Amino acid sequence: MQPHSSHDDTLPPTWRQRPKPVGFEIAYKLDGEMLEIDSTRKVDRVRLAAVEQVRFLYAPSNLSSKGFKTQLRLSDGKTITFGNLSWRSLTDMDRDDAGYRAFVCALAATIARANPRARFVAGKPFAFWVVLAGVSVLSLLMLVFITGRALLQGAHAIALLGALLTAASYWQVMPMVLLNKPRDLATGEIPDELVPGRPAA
């Protein structure tokens, strides 16, 4: 089933997502200052005043997807995470950026009202990001070194393969590093680079 968001102002903002290839669809609905989460097997209701932190992440599900996630951390330590991608089968995903953004904007505004002290952040936690950036840079440097050595030794086929792997790795890794750089946001702020679907001006 496709991810879905309600755009009708007379209806509560909603979002539906199947987060795993095998599993139930999860429905999210704003009800005043409560977030209702229907996982098919049970329905939970979360007070948005209990949200201490809202985090926005770049989190692709595979090599070709442009996946983004929103994570809520509650005062009891629990987290709620949902994204813009919904699995339709074991190999196919639906993407509804406009619907995802509409729901996230409504959710963020409600959290800001319910708990003005809630912290809004973008990217990975600093320690995780440092490790990610370090490993990514080292991996790219190793590929560049191997490619250069192969070229100097006249192994042109290996050098070409190394160059292709370097380019592919850069294309995949750099958005993970750059978009997930940790930074604080203003209360209720929605970063366009991590919450896609903003209508064109």
Side-chain angles (χ1 to χ4, degrees):
M1 184 175 289
Q2 287 189 325
H4 171 71
S5 173
S6 171
H7 297 281
D8 189 338
D9 292 338
T10 64
L11 298 175
T14 63
W15 177 249
R16 306 177 74 89
Q17 181 197 22
R18 189 181 177 193
K20 298 179 180 179
V22 178
F24 294 104
E25 182 184 66
I26 301 176
Y28 302 87
K29 181 174 72 174
L30 279 177
D31 183 9
E33 293 189 350
M34 302 288 290
L35 175 63
E36 183 178 287
I37 305 172
D38 185 350
S39 61
T40 304
R41 293 172 296 179
K42 64 175 182 176
V43 177
D44 293 319
R45 288 176 61 81
V46 177
R47 291 188 312 108
L48 294 179
V51 175
E52 289 187 339
Q53 179 179 274
V54 181
R55 184 181 296 276
F56 303 103
L57 298 160
Y58 174 63
S61 296
N62 57 35
L63 294 179
S64 62
S65 69
K66 292 293 184 181
F68 300 88
K69 291 184 178 181
T70 298
Q71 183 185 81
L72 311 180
R73 190 182 71 196
L74 308 180
S75 56
D76 61 3
K78 294 180 181 179
T79 59
I80 299 166
T81 305
F82 61 93
N84 68 321
L85 301 176
S86 183
W87 288 91
R88 186 164 53 187
S89 67
L90 291 175
T91 58
D92 192 22
M93 286 184 293
D94 285 315
R95 177 177 171 183
D96 177 9
D97 289 347
Y100 174 70
R101 183 181 179 90
F103 180 74
V104 170
C105 287
L107 176 64
T110 304
I111 291 172
R113 289 195 303 269
N115 181 13
R117 295 185 300 276
R119 186 182 176 205
F120 282 67
V121 297
K124 298 277 189 181
F126 183 75
F128 286 94
W129 181 78
V130 168
V131 172
L132 172 66
V135 170
S136 300
V137 170
L138 285 176
S139 298
L140 288 172
L141 288 176
M142 287 180 61
L143 285 170
V144 170
F145 175 76
I146 292 171
T147 301
R149 284 292 298 272
L151 190 61
L152 289 174
Q153 294 175 2
H156 299 295
I158 295 177
L160 177 60
L161 178 60
L164 291 174
L165 286 174
T166 301
S169 297
Y170 182 87
W171 178 68
Q172 287 292 323
V173 168
M174 291 314 294
M176 286 287 294
V177 174
L178 296 177
L179 292 177
N180 281 323
K181 182 178 180 180
R183 54 204 184 276
D184 288 325
L185 303 170
T187 300
E189 181 182 351
I190 304 296
D192 290 343
E193 68 275 17
L194 292 174
V195 185
R198 182 172 184 172

